[in-house]
Amino acid sequence: MTFETLNLHEALTRALQAAGYTEPTEVQATAIPPALAGADLMVSSRTGSGKTASFMLPALTKVLAARGKPATPGTKARGPRVLVLTPTRELAMQVAKAASDYGRFVPGLRVATVVGGVPYGAQLAALRGPLDILIATPGRLIDHLGSGKAVLGSLDMLVLDEADRMLDMGFIDDIRLIVEATPKARQTMMYSATFAGHVGRLAQELLREPQRIEVSSQTEAHGDIEQRLHWADDFEHKNALLDHILTERSVDQALVFTSTQRDADWLADRLHEMGHSVASLHGGMPQGRRNRVLQGLRSKHLKVLVATDVAARGIDVPTISHVINFGLPMKEEDYVHRIGRTGRAGRTGLAVTLAERRDSGMIHRIQRYTTQRIPMATIVGLEPKRAEPRPAPVTPLPRGAKPGKGFGPRPAGKPFRPAGKTFAKAGPRPAR
Ligand code: AMP
């Protein structure tokens, strides 16, 4: 399929050409036609699959169609035509960038972002003026609705991006309040990794005769991402493995995940002392600093980013060649989101998980969730001394799938000897 067959407005096909896209991705090819026809959609599509354009191109089509038309009868002419709700500020910024990129030839396109953690002034100014597309996190938008500064009476399209995550973060009441402020006749597109349980119930509540689109579920193999699991004897061993991996020549840029904000700061300090160009990124940092760090990553001034889960949502930097799980995620589905930060935009990526014995429960849960075994790997000279925990039964690797490099039995009797490796220069690890 080509973009021509989607019959998009010329301003949009030009932008797609300028972005260098030759054909729609699967989620774009499946979701865009019903979205253009006005259907409500429930879409599951893995991160990195091109899902942003699958709602942004129909959204921009609405904006183009509304040019010169009066506002919806009975409503004031104020307020956006399209609202995209996202769980995190980073994802909101990412979606806003996509809106500007895909909408670069839409004359006078007005896009605004309303997220928490930044001053109100610029947001208020943007909300006062005419607006086409508003991208918001629920909490801050509720503030602006409460004060009457945000008006959603002219809305044609509502998009809920990563709806499962928004509900996990406790935004259900905020979402309901926001939806109440929108016209009933709106079109609604809901994106979520799953539509089981409360996400499905919310979909039933908000969507009218929705079409269900499922493109690549989280249980499908990540073809572009090679996964590896390294067992570490202890924290010191884990540091040695990380240090070794970060010095491999194949590392273009690495995203290292920790479980806590304090671990992220501590590890970034340690890597900095070792001479890496590194920064940390987590929800405890002011938004301005978070933006600067992300900018540093995009411009390749940073080679290593140490981040927590929440902050890493929405990071779309195609040059991230390695995702390293230094601390395991709290939830198994976050593993899928984490590794999806590499292998993007047609590139390949390596996702390495460093696990200690006490992490074996989470490793089992991740493997059950993805129904794939993460192939085990070792590094010569850094093999674990202890036997790996016995793997729990999972659906075996699909036929033809190859285990990662270095997979195989641990050389018998070879002790872990981190010869010449530097450890933990930044002082003791903080207590949890
Ligand atoms: P997303 O899943 O929306 O975060 O997109 C993942 C990456 O794929 C982004 O870097 C997009 O710029 C890129 N992308 C989106 N659509 C296409 C396409 N049709 N062809 C090539 N790359 C694309």
Side-chain angles (χ1 to χ4, degrees):
M1 187 189 247
T2 62
F3 279 113
E4 280 73 62
T5 50
L6 293 176
N7 271 328
L8 291 164
H9 191 286
E10 177 270 339
L12 304 181
T13 43
R14 264 174 73 203
L16 293 169
Q17 262 167 20
Y21 301 172
T22 47
E23 56 181 35
T25 64
E26 196 182 349
V27 66
Q28 292 161 6
T30 357
I32 291 175
L36 290 178
D40 280 4
L41 299 183
M42 296 159 71
V43 186
S44 300
S45 170
R46 85 172 169 83
T47 174
S49 60
K51 70 182 165 82
T52 316
S54 78
F55 62 77
M56 196 47 79
L57 293 170
L60 288 162
T61 305
K62 289 254 187 236
V63 170
L64 283 158
R67 284 275 187 269
K69 267 209 294 190
T72 313
T75 63
K76 289 184 195 165
R78 273 183 61 205
R81 290 278 173 187
V82 176
L83 169 65
V84 183
L85 289 179
T86 71
T88 63
R89 311 170 222 187
E90 274 71 23
L91 186 56
M93 301 295 180
Q94 198 68 52
V95 172
K97 186 173 177 302
S100 309
D101 287 349
Y102 303 138
R104 60 196 289 185
F105 298 115
V106 175
L109 179 71
R110 293 150 304 198
V111 178
T113 315
V114 156
V115 293
V118 292
Y120 281 76
Q123 295 181 0
L124 289 172
L127 289 171
R128 260 197 305 274
L131 198 53
D132 296 309
I133 300 179
L134 178 62
I135 297 139
T137 49
R140 181 57 73 89
L141 181 56
I142 286 285
D143 287 355
H144 289 301
L145 279 173
S147 64
K149 299 290 189 283
V151 177
L152 300 176
S154 303
L155 206 74
D156 286 331
M157 182 189 272
L158 170 67
V159 181
L160 299 151
D161 197 8
E162 299 198 0
D164 49 339
R165 172 47 70 123
M166 283 197 276
L167 296 199
D168 283 351
M169 290 169 76
F171 284 135
I172 180 96
D173 293 333
D174 289 353
I175 292 174
R176 286 208 176 98
L177 276 173
I178 291 166
V179 171
E180 266 172 35
T182 68
K184 288 234 169 347
R186 64 168 197 275
Q187 180 180 10
T188 310
M189 296 176 75
M190 193 160 164
Y191 286 72
S192 179
T194 167
F195 281 95
H198 57 343
V199 197
R201 285 194 291 281
L202 185 69
Q204 268 182 355
E205 209 178 297
L206 304 186
L207 278 65
R208 277 171 313 164
E209 297 171 28
Q211 289 188 30
R212 178 85 171 89
I213 291 175
E214 194 162 2
V215 171
S216 287
S217 76
Q218 68 279 6
T219 55
E220 229 160 88
H222 288 264
D224 304 331
I225 305 169
E226 182 187 333
Q227 300 175 61
R228 289 183 199 169
L229 172 62
H230 288 271
W231 287 107
D233 291 327
D234 50 27
F235 187 65
E236 193 188 26
H237 186 195
K238 199 159 79 164
N239 275 294
L241 290 166
L242 175 69
D243 295 346
H244 181 96
I245 293 163
L246 286 179
T247 51
E248 278 175 7
R249 292 235 326 261
S250 57
V251 177
D252 194 354
Q253 282 180 302
L255 178 54
V256 182
F257 282 99
T258 58
S259 306
T260 67
Q261 298 184 355
R262 290 217 300 172
D263 282 359
D265 285 335
W266 175 84
L267 185 57
D269 281 351
R270 185 177 82 71
L271 296 174
H272 178 71
E273 287 196 13
M274 289 179 68
H276 289 287
S277 49
V278 55
S280 60
L281 183 78
H282 57 69
M285 289 161 48
Q287 189 60 35
R289 208 167 118 214
R290 283 161 72 166
N291 290 344
R292 282 195 295 282
V293 167
L294 278 178
Q295 197 42 46
L297 192 68
R298 280 201 192 95
S299 61
K300 294 197 88 176
H301 284 98
L302 285 175
K303 184 164 177 181
V304 183
L305 182 67
V306 186
T308 57
D309 283 300
V310 167
R313 284 241 160 192
I315 291 182
D316 178 18
V317 179
T319 41
I320 294 175
S321 55
H322 287 58
V323 165
I324 302 170
N325 292 312
F326 184 81
L328 287 195
M330 302 293 183
K331 296 173 130 202
E332 43 273 42
E333 53 263 40
D334 283 335
Y335 173 83
V336 177
H337 284 289
R338 285 180 174 196
I339 70 171
R341 301 296 123 206
T342 185
R344 296 174 80 82
R347 298 180 194 226
T348 54
L350 182 61
V352 182
T353 299
L354 307 176
E356 290 177 67
R357 219 182 165 73
R358 58 166 184 208
D359 298 320
S360 56
M362 179 46 86
I363 296 291
H364 293 164
R365 285 204 293 283
I366 290 168
Q367 298 192 138
R368 251 200 325 267
Y369 180 72
T370 59
T371 66
Q372 292 169 47
R373 183 157 290 152
I374 311 173
M376 270 187 276
T378 53
I379 292 172
V380 177
L382 290 176
E383 296 88 351
K385 249 189 298 192
R386 296 196 203 158
E388 298 99 12
R390 186 182 284 278
V394 290
T395 312
L397 279 172
R399 231 192 297 165
K402 288 197 198 82
K405 283 188 206 121
F407 181 75
R410 179 170 51 99
K414 192 146 193 215
F416 155 56
R417 199 177 296 117
K421 297 281 184 305
T422 326
F423 300 122
K425 277 191 182 163
R429 180 191 188 214
R432 281 172 198 275

